[in-house]
Amino acid sequence: SKDIEYYKNGSLYNEHNCRVEFIDPFLKILGWDISNEQGKSPQFREVITENYLADTGRPDYSMTLNGIIKFHTEAKKPSVNIELDKSPALQTRMYGWSSNLRISILTNFEYLIIYDTTVPPKEGDKVDVACIRKYHYLEYVEKIDEIFKLISRESVYTGGFDSYLDNSSIAVFEKGLQLPVDEYFLNT
């Protein structure tokens, strides 16, 4: 908090630093093996990370269950106002929707926003379209149990992640109302 103005200055503090100093450690707190310390084969890594310094057109993190992607996490530098800027939200939702995932996450560490990616993203969508949870960094400690239930490694690997999404009112729409990507394109 004491250095927030520095972090929010885009010319001084970039996405790479934010990922290394804040987002990676936060995901580790949630149990994710970001740097493959377990030495799993590449196809079974828990987290697939994209190059910190290159724009590859892929999500920054893909969280997996034995190699099957369960959700993406897109990172931005703190100077990107993900509460108001529509393009990061659209990008995050497109990654999740085109991968047939149920949720995707957008974070600049100041905020962590979870999107229902069963809702087809459309150009011009407002930031809050399909938003199912938004946390400010000052809430992380207070709401860690809820965050843990939603996106922790333990939740994904024990089945709690799918169970919670299946049996909760978390989804924006009733389960089953959204079409898979291929059916959506065939029907439009």
Side-chain angles (χ1 to χ4, degrees), residues 100-135:
N100 281 323
L101 302 177
R102 297 172 75 181
I103 66 167
S104 280
I105 296 166
L106 173 61
T107 188
N108 62 1
F109 193 75
E110 181 180 9
Y111 288 96
L112 180 122
I113 303 173
I114 302 174
Y115 287 100
D116 177 343
T117 53
T118 67
V119 178
K122 296 181 184 122
E123 262 323 305
D125 279 350
K126 294 184 179 185
V127 173
D128 61 346
V129 170
C131 175
I132 52 180
R133 291 287 190 276
K134 178 170 62 170
Y135 303 96

Side-chain angles (χ1 to χ4, degrees), residues 41-69:
S41 297
Q43 68 272 26
F44 296 115
R45 288 181 63 127
E46 286 181 10
V47 181
I48 301 164
T49 56
E50 287 304 310
N51 185 332
Y52 285 110
L53 303 174
D55 183 8
T56 62
R58 295 183 182 172
D60 293 306
Y61 306 86
S62 296
M63 313 325 240
T64 75
L65 170 63
N66 298 319
I68 298 168
I69 297 172

Side-chain angles (χ1 to χ4, degrees), residues 73-181:
T73 301
E74 179 61 20
K76 298 296 178 195
K77 60 186 174 180
S79 63
V80 175
N81 188 342
I82 64 173
E83 266 198 306
L84 300 175
D85 188 348
K86 296 187 285 188
S87 65
L90 183 64
Q91 177 187 22
T92 301
R93 292 178 53 219
M94 289 178 81
Y95 284 149
W97 188 72
S98 64
S99 298
N100 281 323
L101 302 177
R102 297 172 75 181
I103 66 167
S104 280
I105 296 166
L106 173 61
T107 188
N108 62 1
F109 193 75
E110 181 180 9
Y111 288 96
L112 180 122
I113 303 173
I114 302 174
Y115 287 100
D116 177 343
T117 53
T118 67
V119 178
K122 296 181 184 122
E123 262 323 305
D125 279 350
K126 294 184 179 185
V127 173
D128 61 346
V129 170
C131 175
I132 52 180
R133 291 287 190 276
K134 178 170 62 170
Y135 303 96
H136 187 265
Y137 77 96
L138 294 175
E139 299 175 292
Y140 291 167
V141 172
E142 173 190 336
K143 300 204 174 178
I144 194 65
D145 290 339
E146 181 178 313
I147 296 168
F148 202 85
K149 184 188 295 187
L150 289 167
I151 60 172
S152 71
R153 180 206 182 274
E154 180 180 311
S155 179
V156 169
Y157 275 71
T158 62
F161 172 84
D162 289 316
S163 178
Y164 187 70
L165 290 176
D166 287 345
N167 300 315
S168 167
S169 61
I170 192 170
V172 173
F173 294 96
E174 293 296 322
K175 186 177 179 235
L177 289 180
Q178 299 303 316
L179 296 173
V181 176

